[in-house]
Amino acid sequence: MTTDTRHVELDAVVVGAGFSGMYMLYRLRDVLGLSARVFEAGDDVGGTWYWNRYPGARCDSESYLYCFTFDKDLAQEWTWSGKYPEQPEILRYLSHVAERFDLRRDIQFETRVTAAHFREDLNRWEIETDQGDRVLARYFITGVGCISAGQVPDIKGLDSFQGEWHHTGAWPHEGVDFTGKRVGVIGTGSSGVQAIPVIAQQAGHLTVFQRTPQYTIPARHGTVTPEFLDEVKGRYDEIFEKSRWSRGGTHYDEAEGSALEVDDDERRRIYEAAWEQGGFKFLLTTFGDITFDRRANDTAAEFIRSKIREIVDDPETAEKLMPRDHPFASKRALIDTNYFDTYNRENVDLVDIRHAPIEAITANGIRTREGEYELDVIVFATGYDGMTGAFNRIDIRGRGGEALKEKWAEGPKAYLGLSPAGFPNMFMITGPGSPSVLSNMPPTIEQHVEFVSDFVEYMVEHGIELAEADAEAEAEWVDHVNEVASKTLYMLADSWYLGANIPGKPRVFMPYAGGLGVYREKCNEIAEAGYEGYVLQSREPVEV
Ligand code: NA7
């Protein structure tokens, strides 16, 4: 156990050593010259990619877009092996970044932050950890991730199960051997859709317990050639700049036309081409109104259903796999490799638990209303208490001892998704109310980190002791986030974006759907106007 931070005073404490915490540390320490410490629960860097080691775990953004852009040499020297980066490779990349910038010396691993209280008597944050550390810090910055608080549903009888079970987000480092075993997977979101085809190849038998059928687009994963990487690297400046100002954090030419303004043949041709290219291009580059207009969306949804009909041999299984109760991409759009084909395998069965819900987990497997399925291993691909769950696990208190959890009881509130009013000098990287999970994460994280570090630099230069979001500015931002969301189709699905997967969680759309580029522009305007919407308190009384 490291105890060298007991009762110490630092400029900043950062929670989490994923993309966010690592870059934040670099900016605070190496760019601004401040003292900073990162606390990380895992025993190494990586965040999401440290925990999510399930079979098939892979990023849905293309490799050359899923990386840091702040250092040109770093971008040039790293070589990705595939079109999409797989979990072990992302972890190697982040390890390389940690080494290159000597980050680990200021990261305290195997340490969970348990409490962070704003001490009004000191104008400092007092941070406590499960290792007994107590730190006073001027700035409290969270990089806790949006989908890090794993959710194992409360199903009767789990304790009695005689086999082994795992949640995809807390996968054993040594892996799980499925050879010859009877495996059950509950959940068909991103994690399930990635894991199911890989587990099916190894397991004796796989039963998939599906509550909601999903729209998923083939990734068309494969290796990348040196020529491709050379070409991309030669254009990195242009590619990165475009992704920074885009809606989804990519450099794709985002479509603007309507799916309703072309005839059926042309529409089908465009969808076919995007289906062949694979990945998020289907969502971003086909038609601009898919996420806003239900009739436009229906055309994409029907196209995907036609593909399911084509791919899946058994018509009854195909029917069960066809999503009809929510628009395409109103839940997180999914990218897969051989997902629908997997249901043509002899050793795979699909159980519709919307029709016959799970009643209990027994000693031998899972019992639904219609029967019992004997299993050796259960995989929970059941998702996360998204965006707010990781905050609620820490006792965070602002002015007057107000708990963040209480402040957010009706739904999260924070100015720009960065700063909750009443919590001075607290900044959240990819917090609720920011574009975060709706765009490619690394450029989104970089924008947040750079905004925060520029703000901190401004505070240091201008002798500002405290920066606190103005309650009115916060309320306006939350209204804006809701208003933008209300114009999308996101509101029509029971998704984790809306907290719908967690019993009792308020139904509030949490990320900002305005897009990364628009958000960046707003943040820049706010910074240029002297951090409008924040109340700034000077360190010394200003002489007039
Ligand atoms: P998701 O996307 O939240 O998917 C969870 C899946 O588990 C989804 O199919 C759920 O069905 C299902 N689920 C959740 N709770 C239950 C219960 N109680 N019973 C049965 N089925 C259940 O999580 P992922 O880990 O796949 O992906 C999270 C993010 O990671 C993803 O959005 C990307 O950003 C990367 P439902 O649809 O709710 O009916």
Side-chain angles (χ1 to χ4, degrees):
M1 183 175 87
T2 315
T3 51
D4 59 349
T5 57
R6 266 174 204 271
H7 308 284
V8 297
E9 186 157 357
L10 294 163
D11 290 315
V13 159
V14 179
V15 191
F19 270 92
S20 301
M22 291 172 71
Y23 186 34
M24 195 71 244
L25 172 61
Y26 169 77
R27 293 289 294 207
L28 290 166
R29 193 192 68 185
D30 296 2
V31 178
L32 301 185
L34 301 178
S35 59
R37 172 144 291 233
V38 178
F39 290 111
E40 165 57 51
D43 69 7
D44 204 353
V45 297
T48 291
W49 303 106
Y50 172 90
W51 299 104
N52 279 268
R53 299 172 188 238
Y54 61 84
R58 185 193 296 151
C59 181
D60 289 339
S61 296
E62 289 189 58
S63 304
Y64 66 93
L65 292 167
Y66 197 77
C67 54
F68 285 120
T69 71
F70 68 87
D71 185 291
K72 285 189 180 182
D73 293 338
L74 169 66
Q76 288 297 331
E77 76 200 11
W78 186 261
T79 296
W80 297 103
S81 67
K83 180 176 175 187
Y84 298 92
E86 295 179 356
Q87 177 270 334
E89 195 167 12
I90 305 175
L91 207 51
R92 279 201 298 280
Y93 169 73
L94 289 174
S95 183
H96 167 73
V97 174
E99 215 155 286
R100 196 179 193 287
F101 298 102
D102 194 15
L103 297 178
R104 286 191 180 90
R105 77 181 144 93
D106 288 305
I107 304 174
Q108 187 172 319
F109 294 106
E110 294 181 89
T111 306
R112 217 170 249 287
V113 170
T114 51
H117 294 179
F118 181 66
R119 291 275 304 263
E120 287 182 83
D121 53 335
L122 303 171
N123 281 347
R124 292 288 183 280
W125 280 90
E126 185 169 38
I127 289 119
E128 288 180 15
T129 75
D130 64 353
Q131 299 299 315
D133 305 285
R134 179 171 293 154
V135 183
L136 287 176
R138 196 181 280 277
Y139 309 103
F140 173 55
I141 303 172
T142 63
V144 292
C146 301
I147 35 178
S148 46
Q151 193 62 18
V152 176
D154 189 14
I155 302 175
K156 197 172 70 182
L158 180 56
D159 288 351
S160 69
F161 183 56
Q162 299 293 304
E164 53 177 310
W165 65 266
H166 305 282
H167 185 275
T168 49
W171 204 254
H173 288 199
E174 64 281 10
V176 178
D177 183 7
F178 294 107
T179 315
K181 292 190 177 150
R182 297 164 302 175
V183 184
V185 174
I186 307 178
T188 51
S190 298
S191 307
V193 159
Q194 287 188 339
I196 285 163
V198 185
I199 295 175
Q201 285 172 21
Q202 214 190 76
H205 189 271
L206 171 64
T207 310
V208 177
F209 296 86
Q210 170 195 272
R211 187 163 69 181
T212 308
Q214 292 276 10
Y215 301 95
T216 156
I217 309 295
R220 311 283 179 215
H221 184 44
T223 52
V224 283
T225 61
E227 294 74 33
F228 171 81
L229 283 175
D230 281 351
E231 195 270 326
V232 163
K233 285 184 180 183
R235 293 195 295 123
Y236 256 171
D237 286 350
E238 171 208 327
I239 289 172
F240 290 160
E241 190 56 14
K242 191 164 173 186
S243 70
R244 286 184 191 113
W245 292 96
S246 68
R247 181 155 67 105
T250 76
H251 78 301
Y252 303 152
D253 290 325
E254 292 172 2
E256 287 177 5
S258 166
L260 304 173
E261 280 169 4
V262 292
D263 64 28
D264 291 354
D265 287 348
E266 175 65 358
R267 195 184 307 115
R268 178 119 199 144
R269 192 192 60 73
I270 290 172
Y271 284 143
E272 280 287 359
W275 183 267
E276 280 317 307
Q277 284 192 313
F280 280 129
K281 284 186 179 160
F282 189 90
L283 174 65
L284 296 172
T285 68
T286 50
F287 298 104
D289 51 357
I290 290 179
T291 52
F292 298 96
D293 185 312
R294 184 66 199 254
R295 286 198 310 133
N297 189 284
D298 282 346
T299 65
E302 186 45 42
F303 176 84
I304 298 169
R305 283 191 290 266
S306 74
K307 287 292 178 192
I308 300 173
R309 249 177 242 120
E310 246 171 70
I311 299 168
V312 179
D313 297 339
D314 173 36
E316 214 173 293
T317 306
E319 191 54 41
K320 278 193 216 163
L321 285 166
M322 276 184 223
R324 297 187 188 279
D325 67 342
H326 63 282
F328 166 55
S330 56
K331 282 171 175 275
R332 160 70 147 72
L334 306 186
I335 311 295
D336 73 275
T337 298
N338 300 329
Y339 178 66
F340 293 122
D341 302 82
T342 297
Y343 293 94
N344 294 333
R345 294 176 66 101
E346 288 288 311
N347 69 335
V348 177
D349 284 323
L350 177 66
V351 175
D352 175 1
I353 53 169
R354 170 95 57 210
H355 169 71
I358 294 177
E359 288 184 339
I361 294 178
T362 64
N364 300 322
I366 292 179
R367 194 180 73 233
T368 72
R369 208 171 57 197
E370 286 187 341
E372 183 159 357
Y373 301 84
E374 293 199 352
L375 302 168
D376 303 307
V377 188
I378 300 175
V379 174
F380 288 92
T382 44
Y384 297 84
D385 184 355
M387 306 218 71
T388 54
F391 289 95
N392 291 341
R393 290 179 179 187
I394 307 172
D395 176 22
I396 301 172
R397 288 172 193 269
R399 285 196 189 280
E402 184 188 19
L404 189 67
K405 196 173 176 174
E406 288 305 313
K407 178 182 164 81
W408 287 2
E410 306 293 313
K413 296 181 184 73
Y415 182 44
L416 299 173
L418 276 163
S419 309
F423 294 72
N425 288 6
M426 172 178 169
F427 299 101
M428 303 179 294
I429 310 302
T430 70
S434 75
S436 56
V437 290
L438 298 183
S439 61
N440 180 28
M441 292 302 269
T444 309
I445 286 168
E446 286 189 324
Q447 185 277 337
H448 281 169
V449 169
E450 285 158 16
F451 180 88
V452 171
S453 71
D454 290 351
F455 196 177
V456 167
E457 187 176 23
Y458 179 90
M459 290 170 72
V460 172
E461 281 174 1
H462 291 77
I464 292 162
E465 173 89 345
L466 296 179
E468 183 176 350
D470 174 58
E472 216 168 291
E474 177 185 79
E476 277 172 23
W477 181 256
V478 172
D479 286 349
H480 176 60
V481 170
N482 287 329
E483 196 203 330
V484 173
S486 71
K487 293 183 183 142
T488 70
L489 300 177
Y490 285 123
M491 308 307 279
L492 302 181
D494 287 336
S495 68
W496 63 263
Y497 296 147
L498 276 158
N501 61 330
I502 304 296
K505 194 166 174 174
R507 193 179 172 93
V508 174
F509 189 77
M510 292 179 285
Y512 175 55
L516 175 61
V518 170
Y519 178 80
R520 178 184 297 277
E521 203 169 313
K522 283 182 194 292
C523 287
N524 287 357
E525 282 166 14
I526 285 162
E528 276 156 28
Y531 294 95
E532 208 172 25
Y534 283 92
V535 179
L536 306 179
Q537 187 183 312
S538 296
R539 204 161 285 173
E540 304 294 337
V542 181
E543 297 214 6
V544 189

